[in-house]
Amino acid sequence: MTTILFLIFAVEVLAQFITAVGAAQINNLIWTLINYLPVSTSKAAAEQRKLQAEYLKVRRDLNATSSQDEFAKWAKLRRQHDKLLEKLDATKKAMEASRARFDNYLTAIRMLITKIPQYFIPFWYGKEPMFWLPYGWFPYYAEWIISFPRAPMGSVSAPSWQLACSGVITLLGEILMFAGRQISAQPKTNVAQPGEKAKKPGKQTAEKSEEKKEL
């Protein structure tokens, strides 16, 4: 059962990591890394960037050209602008469709490696003891809860082990996040402003003038 113990723990670590980081952020990172590889999507992304650069250049030239004084040049740039805009829209739609298929694939893979094992493994090994508790250390009701639903009395069932792993991983994650926030937080120091120092001489001058008036 040692392999099942580590398998359940690894699945829970992966699931908690995806939850903490976020599925959308992971998809964006993998999509960005894949586009650096020699695949069809990377070529399409490079073509889109090239078209966008050409489109922006033509657009700047078009805005800088007068339609009345330089009509022929303006009309030529306008045709180029519309043609590039049409191509850019087409490539954008194609990239969005590819990205949607990519996100669907990653969602299916996440289901296969996290959600399905989270439900299947505890059910399949529900009758198998993950390990045995020390005899006499826990009362009867505690042993019954820990062995729930179908493991032998006095043992730790797969669902109980999964629940314990999930709780410990969540707690450790919160502790690490809290420690990171405390480390990144910089202490605030009170620095005397120049205006405060400038007030003191004025106050002393006013006091001297009042003393002179009294005399």
Side-chain angles (χ1 to χ4, degrees):
M1 289 294 104
T2 305
T3 303
I4 305 301
L5 284 172
F6 285 107
L7 180 60
I8 293 175
F9 181 78
V11 170
E12 291 300 319
V13 168
L14 183 59
Q16 292 291 339
F17 174 78
I18 293 174
T19 302
V21 176
Q25 285 76 6
I26 295 175
N27 288 359
N28 292 333
L29 177 60
I30 297 176
W31 176 258
T32 303
L33 294 177
I34 285 178
N35 285 331
Y36 284 104
L37 300 177
V39 294
S40 58
T41 55
S42 65
K43 295 178 181 178
E47 182 66 21
Q48 184 182 17
R49 289 192 295 269
K50 182 179 178 182
L51 283 174
Q52 189 172 8
E54 293 178 1
Y55 168 77
L56 292 176
K57 181 178 181 300
V58 172
R59 185 177 179 179
R60 287 194 298 268
D61 295 341
L62 180 64
N63 292 332
T65 304
S66 175
S67 60
Q68 297 177 355
D69 300 337
E70 301 175 284
F71 180 77
K73 182 180 179 181
W74 181 88
K76 181 180 179 181
L77 290 173
R78 184 67 185 183
R79 288 193 297 270
Q80 293 178 358
H81 175 274
D82 295 341
K83 186 177 180 180
L84 289 172
L85 181 60
E86 184 178 355
K87 289 182 179 180
L88 191 61
D89 290 338
T91 56
K92 184 178 179 180
K93 292 178 180 179
M95 288 294 294
E96 289 177 352
S98 300
R99 177 61 191 270
R101 291 193 298 269
F102 176 78
D103 289 341
N104 292 333
Y105 293 150
L106 284 186
T107 301
I109 292 173
R110 278 197 300 271
M111 292 289 292
L112 289 174
I113 63 178
T114 57
K115 296 298 182 183
I116 293 178
Q118 280 182 315
Y119 291 100
F120 176 77
I121 295 175
F123 172 79
W124 188 259
Y125 294 96
K127 294 182 179 180
E128 301 292 333
M130 296 294 100
F131 57 91
W132 293 89
L133 299 172
Y135 180 76
W137 281 29
F138 299 92
Y140 174 81
Y141 67 87
E143 291 184 353
W144 183 83
I145 293 173
I146 295 173
S147 62
F148 184 84
R150 296 177 296 169
M153 185 67 68
S155 65
V156 177
S157 64
S160 297
W161 172 248
Q162 183 186 41
L163 184 62
C165 291
S166 178
V168 170
I169 294 169
T170 303
L171 180 61
L172 290 177
E174 292 178 354
I175 292 173
L176 291 176
M177 291 177 63
F178 176 77
R181 288 194 297 265
Q182 294 297 321
I183 294 173
S184 61
Q186 297 180 357
K188 296 181 179 180
T189 56
N190 295 325
V191 180
Q193 297 181 357
E196 295 179 355
K197 295 181 178 179
K199 293 178 181 178
K200 293 182 179 180
K203 185 177 180 181
Q204 293 176 357
T205 305
E207 291 177 354
K208 291 181 180 179
S209 60
E210 289 178 358
E211 291 177 356
K212 290 181 179 179
K213 288 181 180 179
E214 292 177 357
L215 295 174

